[in-house]
Amino acid sequence: MAKLTIQDKGTFDVTDGKRLVLAIEENGTDIMHRCGGNGKCTSCRVEFIVGEPVRMTVAERDKLQEQGNLGAFRLSCQILCEHDMTVKPLMTVSGMGMDDAGPSPADHIAPDPEWTDVSKS
C-alpha cells in the first residue's frame, strides 16, 4: 500500500495501482479533471514534492510537450500510485471557481497506457 501525502490535507493509505487523480479526489481534494481523466486537458495537474514517478505515459508526454509544459507539472490522470509520494494539486474546483470537476475518470488509465521513462522525454 502506498502513502499519498496531499499538501495541506494529510497523508493517506492508497491501494497500489490506483490512479492518482482518483486517490486525490477520494481523499478530500476537489481536483479538476475536465476531460474525464483522458490526458487531454491538463486540468488534473500536480506538482510533485517527493516521489515523482520515473515513468510517464506517452499520452502525458505528448500533451505536455504540445503545450510547452513538459517538466513543469504532471498529469495525475496518467499516474498510478505505486509508491509513496507527496503532491500539490494545482487546479481545484474551489480554486478555479468552477461548479464541478468534470466527468468522473475511469478506474483505469485512458487511453491505454504506453509507458516511457521521464528521462527520455
Side-chain angles (χ1 to χ4, degrees):
M1 193 158 286
K3 295 258 187 228
L4 171 62
T5 301
I6 304 169
Q7 192 174 45
D8 299 327
K9 286 286 183 179
T11 301
F12 309 92
D13 289 327
V14 177
T15 304
D16 288 336
K18 178 169 278 298
R19 290 178 84 179
L20 180 57
V21 66
L22 295 174
I24 291 170
E25 191 171 61
E26 290 170 5
N27 285 293
T29 299
D30 58 344
I31 191 165
M32 301 284 294
H33 42 75
R34 301 302 295 170
C35 71
N38 293 299
K40 295 180 180 177
C41 71
T42 75
S43 66
C44 67
R45 59 185 71 169
V46 294
E47 175 186 332
F48 275 88
I49 310 302
V50 175
E52 181 173 353
V54 297
R55 67 182 188 154
M56 68 173 40
T57 65
V58 170
E60 178 184 15
R61 182 201 62 204
D62 291 352
K63 178 51 75 175
L64 293 176
Q65 278 180 333
E66 171 188 307
Q67 294 185 341
N69 288 317
L70 189 61
F73 52 80
R74 298 287 304 270
L75 303 183
S76 64
C77 73
Q78 297 294 300
I79 297 170
L80 298 175
C81 295
E82 298 175 318
H83 62 274
D84 296 351
M85 55 183 76
T86 301
V87 298
K88 176 182 176 183
L90 299 178
M91 295 180 76
T92 60
V93 174
S94 54
M96 300 301 295
M98 302 292 283
D99 292 332
D100 65 47
S104 295
D107 289 336
H108 60 279
I109 288 181
D112 288 336
E114 178 184 339
W115 298 101
T116 186
D117 289 338
V118 171
S119 62
K120 294 180 181 176
S121 298

